[in-house]
Amino acid sequence: MNGKKVLGMIFANIHEEALDALTNMRTMGSVPFCSRYRLIDFPLSNMVEGQITKIGVVTNANFNSLMDHVGTGKPWDLSRKTDGLYLLPPYSLNSTTMWGNRIDAIYGNMGFLDQSNQEYVLMTDCYNIMSIDYSKLFEAHEKSGAAVTIVGVKGKLPKNMSSLLVFNDVAADGKINEAVLDPATEDEVFYSCNIILIKKYLLQTLITNAHSKNEVSFQRSILMNCINSGKAYAYDATDCFVGTVDSVQSYYDISMSLLEKENRRKLFAPDAPIYTKERDDMPTVYGTEAKINNSLIADGCQIKGTVENCIIFKGVKVEEGAVVKNSILMQDTVIGENSKVNYIIADKNVNIKSGVELSGAANYPVSLSKDTRI
């Protein structure tokens, strides 16, 4: 089994309410990350590296930014005459309503599935930042003879998400004997990343039956039924770098963890590159008084002040005398002269004027919406 037999589906809007101000005007998939990327770059790149040549991006609302970013799919080698990248908005000839849930979204795109020649479907969301070798997943799925394989990781259960599947009992060969939804626990568990590999005809059958009964929970109606019938297997991806974005705090913590070289090497492995849409720009200019320590800084910036433990996106300006610490500054943000900011997440085009002092805390970073002026 190889990726050419697999159809990719990426859900760009799932759990975007967890990021509050960062998703007011964009999907979860188009949230900027790590100085140059968007969250959708990770599932897209993982699929492309797994030799998947046809990928549908399921959108729901606020997808203008996403459309601008992915375009025709050229950065991921998905601008093709055959197969390639497809944007799947929630409108059809018979409906002009938004998707209500995952079952609705898949059922509404049944035509996309029908017109695809692939035998399997790989579905994923955008809130998991990870680098995973899908060829190993395909091999494990084929070897087990599973009807559905669910990728999971071991760790603390994300707190701000609903409908997360936890595997209580997994056999040595990966067969899931018992699973529960949303258990109340502080212990480490083996939980689903909502990355699911399934035969296309089986998915179509299950979705059609669930939609006809007005069922709304994909995990309960589809996955739990497969588990109870003994046809579901788990694939452990704990060895990969996995960051689950379930809040602004987790987004901040995952971002800051990439200031550590070992984490960057694990996520951005040379043999598994992460592709993105590039914005060509001049090299970053550093002033004579600039002081930089332990920071990721994109090109196209002007740094004249102090930057420490920060992630800086393209086009950011830090003026003379300004001190920026423990912060994430997205594209084209400006920090005025002699301003001091600490533990801040500034969205695109934020402008902090001269002499301003603004600080959050390590466990409560302040998030500034796009185009904010202070």
Side-chain angles (χ1 to χ4, degrees):
M1 177 181 175
N2 60 52
K4 294 181 180 179
K5 294 182 178 180
V6 180
L7 172 67
M9 290 187 76
I10 299 174
F11 295 85
N13 287 80
I14 300 295
H15 292 309
E16 62 185 10
E17 68 282 353
L19 282 186
D20 194 24
L22 296 179
T23 52
N24 280 343
M25 294 182 286
R26 59 165 70 96
T27 66
M28 173 70 86
S30 55
V31 170
F33 182 77
C34 199
S35 80
R36 60 181 297 190
Y37 301 96
R38 304 287 182 122
L39 294 188
I40 197 171
D41 293 340
F42 296 91
L44 263 179
S45 299
N46 290 335
M47 286 185 177
V48 168
E49 285 297 300
Q51 299 185 339
I52 296 175
T53 59
K54 186 172 184 178
I55 300 173
V57 179
V58 182
T59 63
N60 200 23
N62 294 331
F63 50 82
N64 286 344
S65 175
L66 184 71
M67 291 173 64
D68 177 67
H69 180 69
V70 300
T72 61
K74 186 176 180 179
W76 300 270
D77 193 28
L78 290 172
S79 181
R80 300 164 175 248
K81 291 182 178 179
T82 303
D83 293 341
L85 182 70
Y86 295 78
L87 284 171
L88 306 173
Y91 306 109
S92 66
L93 292 175
N94 301 318
S95 173
T96 58
T97 59
M98 298 293 180
W99 307 132
N101 52 66
R102 197 186 299 259
I103 291 175
D104 280 351
I106 298 172
Y107 185 80
N109 285 294
M110 202 64 77
F112 175 70
L113 296 174
D114 290 334
Q115 294 165 13
S116 302
N117 298 321
Q118 285 77 8
E119 186 179 353
Y120 299 88
V121 179
L122 177 66
M123 296 178 287
T124 182
D125 300 326
C126 291
Y127 62 81
N128 285 309
I129 299 162
M130 63 192 306
S131 178
I132 179 172
D133 185 349
Y134 279 134
S135 63
K136 294 180 180 179
L137 170 65
F138 302 154
E139 182 182 345
H141 180 82
E142 189 171 44
K143 183 178 179 180
S144 68
V148 56
T149 298
I150 308 168
V151 176
V153 293
K154 294 171 183 174
K156 291 290 185 72
L157 190 67
K159 295 180 179 180
N160 300 312
M161 291 183 175
S162 59
S163 300
L164 280 183
L165 201 62
V166 172
F167 312 129
N168 282 348
D169 183 6
V170 178
D173 63 354
K175 182 180 177 182
I176 304 171
N177 295 320
E178 182 184 345
V180 294
L181 277 171
D182 298 327
T185 178
E186 295 292 330
D187 298 331
E188 286 201 352
V189 294
F190 188 13
Y191 69 90
S192 166
C193 293
N194 273 340
I195 300 174
I196 299 148
L197 181 63
I198 187 172
K199 280 262 190 177
K200 186 175 75 172
Y201 81 86
L202 176 59
L203 176 67
Q204 290 174 300
T205 301
L206 294 172
I207 290 293
T208 300
N209 290 340
H211 189 268
S212 68
K213 299 174 184 177
N214 292 320
E215 294 175 344
V216 297
S217 173
F218 181 86
Q219 281 77 8
R220 191 177 302 279
S221 301
I222 307 297
L223 296 185
M224 288 298 287
N225 281 342
C226 289
I227 291 169
N228 292 335
S229 65
K231 299 177 181 178
Y233 282 67
Y235 178 85
D236 191 350
T238 304
D239 289 341
C240 304
F241 180 97
V242 181
T244 302
V245 179
D246 67 333
S247 63
V248 171
Q249 181 69 54
S250 62
Y251 170 84
Y252 177 84
D253 291 340
I254 295 164
S255 298
M256 288 299 157
S257 73
L258 292 173
L259 292 177
E260 297 178 18
K261 188 179 292 186
E262 188 57 36
N263 288 333
R264 289 200 303 276
R265 285 176 176 170
K266 201 171 182 182
L267 180 59
F268 302 106
D271 57 346
I274 304 298
Y275 306 102
T276 189
K277 176 186 174 182
E278 287 288 355
R279 185 181 96 169
D280 293 332
D281 217 324
M282 58 186 282
T284 290
V285 175
Y286 296 93
T288 57
E289 300 298 321
K291 297 178 181 178
I292 316 297
N293 182 39
N294 191 38
S295 297
L296 297 178
I297 300 179
D299 51 3
C301 298
Q302 296 179 32
I303 310 296
K304 300 176 183 178
T306 298
V307 174
E308 183 178 320
N309 300 327
C310 291
I311 295 176
I312 308 293
F313 286 72
K314 292 175 181 283
V316 168
K317 295 180 181 180
V318 178
E319 301 292 359
E320 292 182 4
V323 178
V324 184
K325 296 183 178 181
N326 308 304
S327 295
I328 300 171
L329 306 183
M330 296 183 190
Q331 234 171 253
D332 299 319
T333 287
V334 177
I335 309 297
E337 292 182 2
N338 301 313
S339 289
K340 296 181 180 180
V341 297
N342 195 13
Y343 295 109
I344 300 299
I345 302 174
D347 206 334
K348 295 171 65 174
N349 299 311
V350 168
N351 193 319
I352 297 178
K353 296 182 179 180
S354 300
V356 172
E357 294 191 16
L358 185 62
S359 181
N363 60 354
Y364 194 86
V366 174
S367 182
L368 303 177
S369 299
K370 183 179 178 181
D371 297 321
T372 296
R373 299 289 184 268
I374 296 179

